[in-house]
Amino acid sequence: MRRTLLTWLCLACLGACSPAAAPASCREDGSCLVYSPTGATSAQNPCYSPDSNEILFTLWHRGYNAGPAGLYVARATPGGSSHPVLDDGASNVNLPGSCWNAATSRITFASDRAGGKEEIFTSKADGGDIMQITRLAGTDFIEPSFSPDGNEIVFEAGAGAGSVEIWKARADGSGLVRLTSGGVDREPNWSPAGDQILFQRLAGGWAIYTMRPDGSNLMRVTSPQQSSTDASFSPDGKRIVYSSSGGRPGGDSLFVIAAGGGSPQRITDQQGYDGAPTWSPDGLWLAFESSPDPAGVAPTSLWRILAPR
């Protein structure tokens, strides 16, 4: 039985783990460690490259969500190397999901590099040719993601008095428009076909919603009783992966649900925190941030697990 478990764990690592190393780098639920930061740094918000071979992520230098932060790229296999893309003393933060666009080969992120207020930027995948997208006085814009064709970006904006709204703009910064208002809406992500945007809404608890790109046809996908967050679409747009307690104590795990709603499927299972999941474009993997801390405030590492078929 023990030999069977080790073999299964190594298959989940796709050869990157030797049998002797498997217990240290893979978990019993089949998740394997991709990147582990050092010291107080925290690796968060994994986002796959269009070819599924690399992962863009945010490296917070002073702990979980504690800036400054840089954008880094790691190989998408366990034990792979990493290198900085943009680490200049500002807080540069990407969103899991569709932050790395295949059509334009650009990435999008939020940063306080332009005078302290957070704005939306894009750049080449190597950190060059940085373009500022938003410029609206008094408003912080964060957590952006690309439309599939790379022509538009959707993001969130603080509206004051406890309100957070979803906005979008064209990739050149024109056409700024608000899509939601009056509530607390966060972390928008485009569907691969470009016909839907998902986001999380706080209404008695966090729940995942979808809407059309013009803000119409609002639909709730998950129950607010289970505190569902950090959602993104599968490559075929038929399913959504997200993080949730699943209605039980001990932290958050990854779940997958049909884009139209239904019964969720638990993907990871451990006492601790698994969050910020993203689906690889080839459909094979789910990457996510994780720590043993059930409260989800300790520094995290990057892990991956085979995606459900």
Side-chain angles (χ1 to χ4, degrees):
M1 182 68 179
R2 183 172 181 272
R3 181 178 179 182
T4 300
L5 176 60
L6 287 176
T7 301
W8 176 67
L9 287 172
C10 287
L11 285 174
C13 291
L14 283 188
C17 304
S18 66
S25 55
C26 295
R27 306 186 325 203
E28 289 188 359
D29 63 5
S31 303
C32 288
L33 181 65
V34 172
Y35 175 81
S36 181
T38 59
T41 57
S42 184
Q44 299 173 219
N45 304 342
C47 174
Y48 273 96
S49 62
D51 63 7
S52 300
N53 290 332
E54 296 180 307
I55 293 174
L56 176 74
F57 65 96
T58 300
L59 187 67
W60 293 91
H61 291 297
R62 296 175 182 167
Y64 194 83
N65 286 350
L71 298 178
Y72 282 69
V73 165
R75 295 294 297 173
T77 53
S81 60
S82 66
H83 64 271
V85 171
L86 184 62
D87 198 353
D88 54 5
S91 288
N92 306 295
V93 184
N94 71 293
L95 180 70
S98 52
C99 77
W100 193 334
N101 184 251
T104 62
S105 299
R106 296 184 70 86
I107 60 176
T108 184
F109 57 96
S111 179
D112 60 4
R113 61 190 298 110
K117 190 170 71 71
E118 292 177 294
E119 302 277 10
I120 305 301
F121 293 82
T122 69
S123 76
K124 292 181 178 179
D126 62 3
D129 188 30
I130 298 174
M131 294 177 56
Q132 185 171 340
I133 306 304
T134 57
R135 301 175 186 272
L136 187 61
T139 302
D140 285 306
F141 295 106
I142 61 173
E143 298 184 330
S145 69
F146 274 112
S147 62
D149 60 11
N151 291 332
E152 293 183 289
I153 301 171
V154 66
F155 42 88
E156 71 181 69
S163 178
V164 183
E165 302 169 337
I166 305 299
W167 291 63
K168 72 174 181 178
R170 286 190 279 272
D172 62 2
S174 65
L176 185 66
V177 60
R178 182 175 58 197
L179 300 180
T180 69
S181 63
V184 179
D185 299 330
R186 298 195 57 196
E187 298 195 3
N189 253 301
W190 287 87
S191 66
D195 58 343
Q196 292 189 86
I197 294 171
L198 63 71
F199 62 97
Q200 65 190 53
R201 169 169 287 181
L202 184 61
W206 289 108
I208 307 303
Y209 285 73
T210 61
M211 62 181 172
R212 290 177 180 162
D214 62 1
S216 66
N217 198 35
L218 185 69
M219 185 184 75
R220 182 170 59 81
V221 179
T222 66
S223 168
Q225 279 72 44
Q226 295 193 353
S227 188
S228 305
T229 62
D230 299 350
S232 58
F233 280 100
S234 63
D236 61 8
K238 296 180 179 179
R239 292 173 290 176
I240 292 170
V241 62
Y242 62 96
S243 179
S244 172
S245 66
R248 75 180 192 188
D252 290 347
S253 299
L254 303 190
F255 290 81
V256 167
I257 193 170
S263 299
Q265 175 186 0
R266 180 184 289 272
I267 305 301
T268 64
D269 192 1
Q270 73 149 7
Q271 294 295 304
Y273 162 71
D274 294 338
T278 188
W279 218 301
S280 62
D282 60 15
L284 297 178
W285 299 98
L286 300 172
F288 58 98
E289 63 186 43
S290 181
S291 80
D293 176 20
V297 295
T300 54
S301 300
L302 302 184
W303 293 70
R304 74 173 188 177
I305 190 170
L306 285 169
R309 297 296 183 263

